[in-house]
Structure formats: structure tokens, C-alpha cells
Amino acid sequence: MSIRTRLPQGFRRFLLIASALGLTACAMPREATAQAPAPDVASKPIIAALDELNWRPVGNTGMMSALVHGDPGAAAPFTMVMKIPAGTKLPPHSHPDLWRTSIVVSGTLYFGFGDTWDEAALKPMKPGTVWTEPAGANHFLWAKDGEVIAKLTAMGPTGSKPAAPAK
């Protein structure tokens, strides 16, 4: 008997959403990450629907983030969920994080690597798409078709640096 047949439908959906909660904190200035750290998951588990998370604005991007675990300003792992409003375009930028792994939870994120905005380089990333970002890798994104929700797990401290303009 598989785990799929043993778990109730509602719990399977919860597990799918919970596992998907790991977008990149794109264009996140360091001051935007100064949220109170989430409870220590070793002592206080978190079970929350997306609308129950503590959402905070990310700079003046229109994006929102909800810290789930850790401290993005510390040299330690952290996890957050990002909401990217429909139509949001983030120009090329990079993050200093030692490593980043993200997954699209809902919506379609158009994402590309490079030093300049290039629509031809944007790849549509649908729910369930996972990607990594090496430290300092310039990238850009567009929530072209509607709101995108994504989960980010990374090794801080985090921040955002605009790509140097082409000369």
C-alpha cells in the first residue's frame, strides 16, 4: 500500500503545500529582511495556511515576504515565502547568499539569468518548478501572467545588489 492511499485527501494536499513552501527573495534589500525571526521549528512547529502567515512588504517592489524559519540577516539557513504581484518585473540583480533553492508554489514565474533584461532568456516556471541560484549570479524575473507565490530556502545573510549597467 502506498503512502498516497493511506493518507486522507486533505492531509495529502496539506503535505503538498507544506513541501512547496521552500521565489527567490529577489530584489530584497537587506533592510527588508529585518523581520523578527520565526519561532525555532525545533521547539515550536509551524502549521499555517498562506493567508495566516505574517506577510511584510519587500522594499518598494510591491512584493511581500513571510519568514517561516531562521533569520535572513544571519549567517545561517532561512526559509521564507514570497508573493510577487501580477505584472511585477525585477531587473537583473544578484544575492550574496552562499546558496539558494526555490520552488514555485502557484502562478507562473518567468525567470532568466544574465546581466541585462532579455525577454528571450525568460523561462516560464510553473508550480512545482525548482531552481537554484549561485551566489552573485545575476538574474531577473517577471510575474507576467498573474500573482506568483514561491518558497525560498537559502544560507544567509541575504541582500540584493543591482547588476552593473552595461558600458
Side-chain angles (χ1 to χ4, degrees):
M1 177 181 283
S2 76
I3 194 167
R4 170 175 242 150
T5 58
R6 289 183 287 174
L7 296 175
Q9 174 65 28
F11 190 66
R12 279 187 277 154
R13 184 161 192 234
F14 164 78
L15 286 178
L16 177 66
I17 291 171
S19 67
L21 287 176
L23 177 66
T24 160
C26 299
M28 179 179 300
R30 174 161 273 164
E31 60 274 10
T33 66
Q35 300 182 22
D40 178 1
V41 295
S43 62
K44 294 182 181 181
I46 296 172
I47 299 175
L50 291 174
D51 63 351
E52 297 171 329
L53 295 174
N54 183 20
W55 293 99
R56 301 211 175 171
V58 177
N60 61 0
T61 64
M63 295 176 11
M64 301 290 283
S65 69
L67 186 62
V68 177
H69 176 259
D71 177 356
F78 67 93
T79 300
M80 62 176 48
V81 183
M82 305 295 297
K83 278 187 189 180
I84 307 168
T88 299
K89 287 183 175 182
L90 291 181
H93 64 280
S94 65
H95 307 283
D97 310 33
L98 185 59
W99 52 263
R100 279 182 166 234
T101 302
S102 301
I103 184 168
V104 175
V105 176
S106 66
T108 300
L109 180 67
Y110 292 81
F111 186 95
F113 284 100
D115 298 337
T116 59
W117 182 270
D118 178 4
E119 284 190 34
L122 290 167
K123 305 290 184 213
M125 297 172 25
K126 299 199 177 287
T129 303
V130 177
W131 75 98
T132 63
E133 296 171 29
N138 285 329
H139 57 281
F140 45 95
L141 61 93
W142 188 7
K144 179 180 171 183
D145 301 331
E147 180 184 70
V148 175
I149 297 177
K151 178 195 162 239
L152 159 73
T153 298
M155 175 63 83
T158 193
S160 183
K161 178 181 174 187
K167 298 201 185 231

